[in-house]
Amino acid sequence: MDKFNNRETIEKSSFLSTFIDQNDNGKKKLSIRAKRWIVIISIHLTFFLSFYIDIQMLEGTMNGSRFLGFHLIDVYVTMQVYLASYHMPINMVIGTVTIILVYLLIGGRTYCSWVCPYGLLSEIAEKINNILVKKKIIKKREFDNRVRHIFWLMFLVLSFTSGYLVFETFNVVGILSRFIAYGWSIALVWVLAVLLIEILYSRRAWCKYICPIGTTYGYIGVVSATRIQWNNNCDHCMVCHDVCFENHVLELTKAKYAKQVEEKGIKTAYIKSGDCTLCGRCIDVCHQDALKFDFRLKGLV
Ligand code: SF4
Ligand code: SF4
């Protein structure tokens, strides 16, 4: 990826090129996308090896696990369990609080980009969807992403009224995670169906419009310490908008925003929305180095 000489939009870049970043001196290094993929694959390889060769480092699945003996429980799973059973074992409380604290520090939807195994498949589907749109085989379809708050509430209400974790039947993240840790199941057909919807119908549809797990981490992300920071080197080229599937969070890169901040003498600003997944794709493609990760509590450490 040579962002200093090309506009590295999804359409213009080959998928493989996005794993290598090139600085303005031509020196190559791993892109943030490559680093994310290494993190995701390492996490799920550890789940796999913990079960198959019993290394006992990371046991369980994405819904609930133990890392070196510490309980980790997904927040949305805990909410569903409580609403379905009115019961919350102490280990679940400890595991959930641990996860909330971790994501308050590293960024809420960091889960979506740096941990979730479905997110990785969805990135491949996104590229295929883009090729099909470019060739005019399918149309580009976008919807109001606020629909995900309705899904979030709906699945909680269903847990409460039915006494079952209804969402877990459809949860592609849980299905994939169980597949990685324990082996095949027929439920993988559903994962394939969702991927096909993302390829043939709407870009990143599950993550953008449906997944209540991502929505929950988005709520945490509103107050989390890690953020994307923008600076006024930005020339409003909009390449970051092209690669970001939640690009409404990048309003501050638009010229009209820059004009306002210029008037106020502001040189840097944070992406405030919890919808940002901190995937770093915008940083990877920005030829002005106008975006970076920032830990807002760095003054305290
Ligand atoms: S932040 Fe970078 S990629 Fe985004 S509009 Fe500004 S210059 Fe372009
Ligand atoms: S703003 Fe950047 S880091 Fe956030 S989701 Fe979009 S591309 Fe990823």
Side-chain angles (χ1 to χ4, degrees), residues 36-53 55 57-65 67 103 110-121 171-183:
R36 277 195 300 109
W37 277 47
I38 291 169
V39 171
I40 296 173
I41 291 168
S42 305
I43 290 171
H44 296 284
L45 192 61
T46 315
F47 270 124
F48 175 78
L49 295 176
S50 293
F51 183 74
Y52 276 94
I53 58 167
I55 60 170
M57 271 182 74
L58 184 57
E59 299 164 285
T61 67
M62 293 291 287
N63 284 359
S65 58
F67 176 59
Y103 284 98
T110 299
Y111 173 96
C112 305
S113 285
W114 292 81
V115 181
C116 176
Y118 181 77
L120 194 141
L121 297 181
N171 178 5
V172 294
V173 185
I175 294 168
L176 263 182
S177 184
R178 285 193 292 279
F179 158 63
I180 293 163
Y182 307 125

Side-chain angles (χ1 to χ4, degrees), residues 228 240 243-246 249-250 271 275-283 293:
I228 299 290
C240 52
V243 297
C244 177
F245 78 93
E246 297 283 20
V249 308
L250 283 161
I271 289 180
D275 292 348
C276 171
T277 69
L278 287 111
C279 68
R281 286 283 290 130
C282 53
I283 302 173
F293 290 115

